[in-house]
Amino acid sequence: MSSKSSGVKVFARVRTTTNFASDMIEFLPDNQTIHIHTRLDQRKDVVNNQHSDWSFKVDGILHNVPQDVVYKVVAKNVVSSTINGFSSTIMCYGQTGAGKTYTMTGATEKYDYRGIIPRAIQQIFKEVEEQGDLSLTVYVSYLEIYNETLFDLLSSLPDSLETDGHMVVVEDNYGVHVRGLSIHQVSTEEDALNYLFEGETNRIIASHSMNKNSSRSHCIFTVYVETRWKEASEVKFLASKLNMVDLAGSERLGKTGSEGQVMREAMYINKSLSFLEQTIIALADPKRGHIPFRQSKLTHVLKDSLGGTCNTILVANIYGEAAQIEETLSTLRFSSRLMCIPAEPAPNVFSDPKKLVQNLQKEIQLLQDELAMHNILANRRQTSYEALTENQVQEIKTQVCRYLDGTLDEINVVTETAEETHVGEVSGEGFGIGQAPTSAKAKKLKTKKGKDPTGSNIKKERMSIGGKDAEMVLQVKESSPPILPEKDTTQRDLEVLSADSAQSEIVIKLEDSKSSTPPLKASMFEVFKNEKGREINRILMENKSILSMKRKSVKELTERINNIKEEIDISNQALNLKKQERQHQGDYLNEQGDPVIDEDEFNLVMQLKDLKHQYRHDFDTLRDLKVELQYCHKLVDQCRLRLLTEFDIWYNESFLISEDVQNSVQKDNIRPGLIPESRMLSLDEDDKEKFQRIQNDILMKNPGSAAFYRAQMKLKQRQNYLNAMAQPQPVTIRKKPGIITQTIKNKPPSIFSVT
């Protein structure tokens, strides 16, 4: 059965094993069809009418493929659509030990072993940097469902809000969310990975016969993306979320041999997965009126994330061994049911109420100004469009009552502004255009006869201005600052002389400091670089600049080589598919007995040849560039050593060694500064440069792995700090009465623990 809509897709990933049951599991060349054949019971006197052959249709089969190919096929497109407001769900389902956690989160032994979640985080922030006309805000959360109880895996962080621990699934106009779950804003890939790694260390895992690191809970890592246009007047914005669900594996107690707490956890896991399948069956049935989302916490949390307007991707992890064929059939049946869910993905567009109110207020103000202009140009009395006051409302009610009684022939609504304001005078935000009263005009003419404070006459023919506006004009003219004369040459020379004298005072202080306590070396090092060691420092800076350019060239060339390598791998795969297709259809031989290939296969062969040639050329260039880089490193180190040595000599001669000692040493033709009181080993900036060089050497193969390794290092530092704080202290600690602390021992290690 195939997917009827583009919103729901299923991919089958087969765990790599040496005992693959090729006689029972068959993958067709279309890479979308799986045939399963089981053996019938051969015992005597047993009638077995069970089905022995099944055929399943999926959107793709991932067999013996690396993590990067899995991500490109499964998640790359839906992660990209998250920026455009489309919500998506990527879910891994299968039996225990089939590779769900490895597919979703990966492992930390090697950077290439990253799973879907770290790669999705990297892709999101890369696309955020490329958006020029959009403003994007990213948040993350990490939820765990253990034995039908909700837990926040990020609650151990210091910036998490303190709650009572009670978490509830709620629904509102923005969808389904968990009240009490901490949501953290992240601005970089490293920040998001820090939260991911921290949550992984808090997951609950256990060991049984089929999996030594078995997840005992369902975990949902969610990335929220809010996309806004940078125009301040834009009311609408996009809000999407990407749910990456790592489901706990279904277990057969007869195979795992679980007992005690592990058996109890397996019962909760199987129960929740059964409810999930019931919900999917109900969603696939168009005649069902009620969908049992509230049967379990898992289905309730995923209510708006299965089908509908949400992209839904399922990775069906199967075990390709003969002993696990029943679980494989169960997983593929679940996948077929999920593909029947109707889905029409659509962007989640919302309106910002604050910006909407601001736009409406601006529109009202523009309409009021337009009406005021229209009334003035039509020679009407000034009309107010403001809300009526209480006195005006009371007056209108009185007139209405008199009109109904027959004592008033016409209701006259007069506003206070219209009664008090004359045409031609500025009131509020009106316009001073039109014929003014005689009294007001006389005042203005009287004012025009004088002069302004600067001495210029005001013409009588100018347009009449209201009294308040005239006063404002006069105040502006009076408050205008006077024009200051330019500084003469003598004053500038004095400033230069004062600066020179200040510099000479510093030199005098340096000379006087010999007899007192010597200054700090760090501050004196800056003085030395600007004076005695200026030439050496200039050469060092030039060498550093050349070294930085070489590093940049090596980084760019390394990225290009990696891209070419990926293109070579893709071309090889395409060429192998072509060869398999040609062999399946039968080879055509020419007169010499060589096989005849079509134009597409020939183009692939030539493309692969060109890529390999380009790869060898770039690799040779990179090798030569690394030699130049090492030479530049050597020059920089030599310059730095020379600079530090000269600084040692200068500092000792200036502040540490007395003149008598210097005179006695100079008789033996030895520089006084070569006998330091204490040798300077290193500076802070040199340590940073050394760390940067080592880091660049490690990350040269994968330039984008810096954030991944930095997040791992921060997690390790935090764990070391917590372990150190948990150690018993030698001092006596007085505990508060009534507080009992409990220590959890022998917690099983996490797959994301940093070694």
Side-chain angles (χ1 to χ4, degrees):
M1 183 177 296
S2 61
S3 178
K4 297 180 180 179
S5 62
S6 60
V8 178
K9 291 186 177 180
V10 173
F11 298 91
R13 187 178 192 186
V14 186
R15 172 172 173 167
T16 303
T17 177
T18 56
N19 299 321
F20 182 74
S22 57
D23 57 334
M24 304 178 70
I25 303 175
E26 181 185 2
F27 304 132
L28 296 190
D30 62 355
N31 204 38
Q32 292 182 345
T33 307
I34 304 176
H35 284 332
I36 304 294
H37 174 73
T38 59
R39 303 184 184 93
L40 296 177
D41 193 350
Q42 301 296 331
R43 291 179 298 176
K44 294 182 179 180
D45 301 330
V46 174
V47 179
N48 191 346
N49 295 324
Q50 291 183 350
H51 229 18
S52 60
D53 295 289
W54 290 268
S55 180
F56 298 95
K57 196 79 171 179
V58 294
D59 293 284
I61 300 173
L62 305 171
H63 187 209
N64 294 331
V65 294
Q67 292 279 68
D68 56 341
V69 176
V70 173
Y71 180 77
K72 289 180 182 179
V73 174
V74 174
K76 188 174 182 179
N77 292 334
V78 295
V79 172
S80 180
S81 67
T82 305
I83 306 296
N84 300 322
F86 290 85
S87 294
S88 304
T89 298
I90 304 174
M91 186 165 50
C92 287
Y93 178 90
Q95 72 176 110
T96 181
K100 298 180 298 301
T101 302
Y102 179 75
T103 300
M104 190 57 66
T105 58
T108 57
E109 289 82 3
K110 194 176 180 182
Y111 179 69
D112 294 337
Y113 295 164
R114 294 170 302 147
I116 291 177
I117 298 179
R119 295 175 186 272
I121 291 173
Q122 185 182 50
Q123 180 183 347
I124 286 175
F125 281 99
K126 280 186 178 179
E127 297 194 6
V128 166
E129 294 175 357
E130 296 173 357
Q131 300 297 329
D133 56 342
L134 300 177
S135 175
L136 294 98
T137 309
V138 184
Y139 306 85
V140 297
S141 66
Y142 211 167
L143 176 67
E144 181 184 45
I145 306 176
Y146 173 70
N147 291 354
E148 282 301 300
T149 306
L150 303 176
F151 293 96
D152 185 4
L153 291 177
L154 303 180
S155 60
S156 60
L157 293 172
D159 56 346
S160 298
L161 298 177
E162 294 185 1
T163 60
D164 56 356
H166 184 62
M167 302 171 65
V168 183
V169 183
V170 296
E171 303 178 30
D172 54 19
N173 296 331
Y174 294 97
V176 179
H177 59 90
V178 180
R179 182 187 300 162
L181 178 65
S182 62
I183 299 177
H184 304 263
Q185 183 177 355
V186 291
S187 55
T188 61
E189 176 190 353
E190 182 180 345
D191 294 340
L193 291 175
N194 283 333
Y195 289 117
L196 172 64
F197 295 161
E198 180 67 26
E200 287 296 320
T201 59
N202 296 328
R203 289 186 64 173
I204 299 176
I205 61 176
S207 177
H208 52 71
S209 60
M210 294 187 64
N211 190 359
K212 64 178 181 179
N213 292 320
S214 175
S215 301
R216 313 311 295 165
S217 60
H218 309 299
C219 293
I220 305 175
F221 187 87
T222 306
V223 179
Y224 310 85
V225 180
E226 186 177 292
T227 306
R228 295 179 181 269
W229 285 265
K230 291 186 177 180
E231 291 83 358
S233 60
E234 184 61 41
V235 176
K236 295 182 178 180
F237 67 95
L238 304 175
S240 59
K241 63 180 180 179
L242 174 62
N243 292 317
M244 288 168 280
V245 187
D246 181 14
L247 297 174
S250 59
E251 299 181 12
R252 291 184 180 237
L253 298 180
K255 291 184 177 182
T256 60
S258 303
E259 296 179 353
Q261 179 65 19
V262 179
M263 182 179 68
R264 183 170 177 268
E265 293 167 351
M267 293 172 62
Y268 274 103
I269 292 171
N270 292 337
K271 182 179 179 182
S272 62
L273 292 177
S274 177
F275 286 147
L276 175 63
E277 187 167 8
Q278 292 177 17
T279 303
I280 289 174
I281 293 173
L283 286 171
D285 187 0
K287 298 180 181 179
R288 289 286 293 268
H290 171 69
I291 309 298
F293 285 111
R294 296 178 181 267
Q295 285 190 124
S296 68
K297 298 290 178 62
L298 175 64
T299 55
H300 199 183
V301 170
L302 298 177
K303 180 177 181 180
D304 60 346
S305 304
L306 297 174
T309 59
C310 178
N311 287 307
T312 306
I313 307 294
L314 176 70
V315 180
N317 294 91
I318 59 178
Y319 221 143
E321 295 184 357
Q324 314 297 334
I325 196 65
E326 295 181 1
E327 286 77 7
T328 299
L329 283 171
S330 177
T331 301
L332 293 176
R333 290 193 188 100
F334 179 89
S335 305
S336 300
R337 291 166 182 148
L338 183 71
M339 296 177 71
C340 299
I341 296 178
E344 295 181 1
N348 302 306
V349 184
F350 299 95
S351 298
D352 190 343
K354 292 184 180 180
K355 288 189 176 182
L356 182 60
V357 169
Q358 292 175 359
N359 290 349
L360 292 176
Q361 289 176 346
K362 290 180 181 178
E363 186 176 356
I364 291 172
Q365 187 62 42
L366 290 174
L367 292 174
Q368 288 180 351
D369 293 343
E370 185 178 352
L371 288 173
M373 175 65 77
H374 183 268
N375 292 333
I376 291 170
L377 295 177
N379 251 345
R380 297 177 182 172
R381 298 179 62 189
Q382 186 71 18
T383 305
S384 174
Y385 298 99
E386 302 294 335
L388 298 176
T389 63
E390 295 182 359
N391 295 333
Q392 293 172 352
V393 173
Q394 189 64 32
E395 178 65 24
I396 293 174
K397 286 183 178 180
T398 304
Q399 293 187 31
V400 170
C401 293
R402 292 177 57 192
Y403 180 79
L404 295 177
D405 294 340
T407 58
L408 185 66
D409 296 335
E410 184 179 357
I411 299 176
N412 186 17
V413 180
V414 181
T415 62
E416 293 179 359
T417 305
E419 292 175 357
E420 297 175 359
T421 307
H422 298 284
V423 178
E425 292 184 348
V426 178
S427 173
E429 298 183 359
F431 299 85
I433 301 176
Q435 187 174 1
T438 307
S439 58
K441 196 170 185 178
K443 284 184 180 180
K444 294 169 189 172
L445 292 175
K446 187 176 180 181
T447 304
K448 291 177 183 179
K449 289 179 182 179
K451 295 182 179 180
D452 62 355
T454 59
S456 60
N457 294 326
I458 302 176
K459 295 182 180 181
K460 296 182 181 180
E461 293 81 9
R462 290 179 60 183
M463 184 184 297
S464 62
I465 305 177
K468 295 182 181 179
D469 289 347
E471 293 176 0
M472 292 174 60
V473 172
L474 292 177
Q475 290 176 1
V476 171
K477 290 182 178 180
E478 290 176 356
S479 61
S480 300
I483 301 175
L484 299 177
E486 296 183 356
K487 297 181 180 179
D488 54 0
T489 310
T490 306
Q491 187 175 358
R492 292 178 181 175
D493 295 339
L494 290 175
E495 292 179 357
V496 174
L497 289 174
S498 62
D500 294 338
S501 62
Q503 186 175 3
S504 63
E505 289 178 1
I506 294 174
V507 175
I508 293 172
K509 289 181 180 179
L510 290 177
E511 294 177 353
D512 295 339
S513 62
K514 283 186 178 181
S515 58
S516 61
T517 304
L520 296 176
K521 285 189 174 182
S523 58
M524 289 300 100
F525 185 68
E526 298 296 329
V527 176
F528 173 76
K529 289 193 296 185
N530 296 327
E531 293 180 359
K532 295 289 184 180
R534 182 186 305 168
E535 184 65 21
I536 302 176
N537 185 57
R538 181 187 64 80
I539 297 174
L540 177 61
M541 291 297 104
E542 291 179 357
N543 289 337
K544 281 187 177 181
S545 177
I546 297 174
L547 178 62
S548 177
M549 295 173 58
K550 294 294 182 183
R551 286 174 177 169
K552 185 177 180 181
S553 301
V554 168
K555 180 180 178 182
E556 293 176 353
L557 188 58
T558 304
E559 291 179 352
R560 186 163 73 244
I561 289 175
N562 291 335
N563 294 333
I564 294 175
K565 181 63 171 59
E566 292 181 359
E567 294 180 4
I568 290 175
D569 294 339
I570 295 173
S571 300
N572 274 327
Q573 293 179 2
L575 187 61
N576 291 333
L577 290 176
K578 279 288 185 181
K579 289 181 179 179
Q580 292 177 3
E581 183 180 355
R582 175 165 50 80
Q583 293 175 358
H584 181 72
Q585 295 176 355
D587 290 335
Y588 293 95
L589 304 178
N590 55 13
E591 296 178 355
Q592 289 77 18
D594 298 328
V596 179
I597 60 175
D598 57 4
E599 183 178 358
D600 293 339
E601 188 173 354
F602 177 76
N603 292 334
L604 286 174
V605 173
M606 298 304 297
Q607 180 183 357
L608 188 60
K609 181 179 179 181
D610 295 339
L611 289 173
K612 289 182 178 180
H613 176 73
Q614 183 66 30
Y615 180 83
R616 286 190 294 268
H617 177 269
D618 290 348
F619 188 81
D620 294 338
T621 305
L622 179 62
R623 183 177 54 192
D624 297 338
L625 198 57
K626 285 183 178 180
V627 175
E628 297 178 5
L629 187 65
Q630 292 177 357
Y631 179 71
C632 292
H633 270 303
K634 185 177 180 180
L635 288 180
V636 170
D637 292 339
Q638 290 177 353
C639 291
R640 185 183 295 113
L641 181 61
R642 177 70 182 278
L643 182 65
L644 296 180
T645 304
E646 293 293 332
F647 171 69
D648 275 337
I649 297 172
W650 174 80
Y651 185 83
N652 294 330
E653 292 177 350
S654 302
F655 304 106
L656 299 181
I657 304 175
S658 62
E659 294 181 0
D660 297 336
V661 176
Q662 292 187 27
N663 294 331
S664 62
V665 173
Q666 286 177 356
K667 295 179 181 179
D668 298 330
N669 296 326
I670 299 176
R671 293 187 64 180
L674 293 176
I675 309 174
E677 199 171 79
S678 61
R679 185 173 180 82
M680 183 172 61
L681 297 177
S682 61
L683 292 176
D684 292 340
E685 59 180 359
D686 293 328
D687 293 337
K688 293 180 181 178
E689 291 172 1
K690 182 178 179 181
F691 174 77
Q692 183 180 3
R693 183 174 71 253
I694 295 174
Q695 188 183 49
N696 290 338
D697 292 340
I698 295 175
L699 304 179
M700 189 172 291
K701 186 177 181 181
N702 294 303
S705 63
F708 184 83
Y709 287 119
R710 282 198 299 265
Q712 280 189 344
M713 184 174 62
K714 286 186 178 180
L715 177 66
K716 185 176 181 180
Q717 292 174 353
R718 174 174 166 78
Q719 288 178 341
N720 293 337
Y721 171 76
L722 294 177
N723 293 334
M725 295 299 294
Q727 294 295 328
Q729 303 294 330
V731 296
T732 304
I733 301 176
R734 182 175 298 175
K735 296 183 178 180
K736 294 183 179 180
I739 297 180
I740 301 175
T741 60
Q742 181 180 2
T743 304
I744 301 175
K745 297 182 179 180
N746 299 328
K747 182 178 179 180
S750 171
I751 193 172
F752 254 79
S753 59
V754 179
T755 57

